[in-house]
Amino acid sequence: MSDPRAERTRARLREALLAECAERPLEEVSVAALVRRAGLGRATFYLHYPDLGALAVDACAEVVRNAVDALHAWRGTPDPAVPPPALTAFFTELAPHAALYRTLLREGGSGPLGELLHRELRDRSRKERELAGAPAAPLIASAVAATFAGVLADWLHGKIDAPAELMASQIWRLLLALHRTPLR
């Protein structure tokens, strides 16, 4: 069971980091400025996080959960022409903190946020494929996770020029194609 006071403190630190990163790149944010904004002491920061990078990944972990949920926000037979509304909303809502996400999710999908996204998406996809009795669950789940993380990162870094709605539509069709690949 988590301590509600510790969770409130971590929430304040995450909010302060996002506010700081709205004004300057993560590389220019200091622990001193962060704790000042959060109204906490430096020692409190280090009780909860070993460094700013760990806090940044924690602050951005919600984006990972949102991505995984958005990709699985459909029931029945998926329509390749219409991505789940949650997927379109996910791409649309990335803009306010895109600079921070680019720091943590490097081109091609690497970096601490990319690793977290890949791991969580792969695990969720594998479990859902296994529940459905779909073949090659580990292989397809890994391909889906790598494809989504890589395309998302490249889009955030400007390597793919498309509005959010188009990205959602294109990645949706691409991922469905992976799921439908016959592998027996």
Side-chain angles (χ1 to χ4, degrees), residues 17 26 31 34 45-58:
L17 179 74
L26 178 62
V31 172
L34 179 76
F45 171 84
Y46 288 109
L47 281 173
H48 296 277
Y49 298 100
D51 55 36
L52 282 171
L55 170 59
V57 170
D58 186 35

Side-chain angles (χ1 to χ4, degrees), residues 4-26:
R5 290 175 301 166
E7 185 48 45
R8 281 191 302 271
T9 298
R10 285 190 294 275
R12 284 172 65 184
L13 289 166
R14 289 189 300 263
E15 289 169 17
L17 179 74
L18 292 174
E20 284 290 318
C21 287
E23 297 171 5
R24 66 188 55 78
L26 178 62

Side-chain angles (χ1 to χ4, degrees), residues 45-126:
F45 171 84
Y46 288 109
L47 281 173
H48 296 277
Y49 298 100
D51 55 36
L52 282 171
L55 170 59
V57 170
D58 186 35
C60 293
E62 184 176 350
V63 106
V64 168
R65 286 187 296 278
N66 290 345
V68 172
D69 289 344
L71 286 171
H72 294 89
W74 56 274
R75 293 293 168 247
T77 303
D79 181 354
V82 182
L87 183 60
T88 303
F90 166 76
F91 276 96
T92 303
E93 294 166 2
L94 287 175
H97 302 294
L100 177 59
Y101 301 143
R102 280 191 296 271
T103 300
L104 301 171
L105 181 61
R106 294 189 274 287
E107 289 181 30
S110 65
L113 194 59
E115 292 165 10
L116 179 63
L117 176 59
H118 185 275
R119 185 173 52 254
E120 291 198 10
L121 183 53
R122 181 193 61 219
D123 292 348
R124 174 98 171 256
S125 292
R126 181 188 46 76

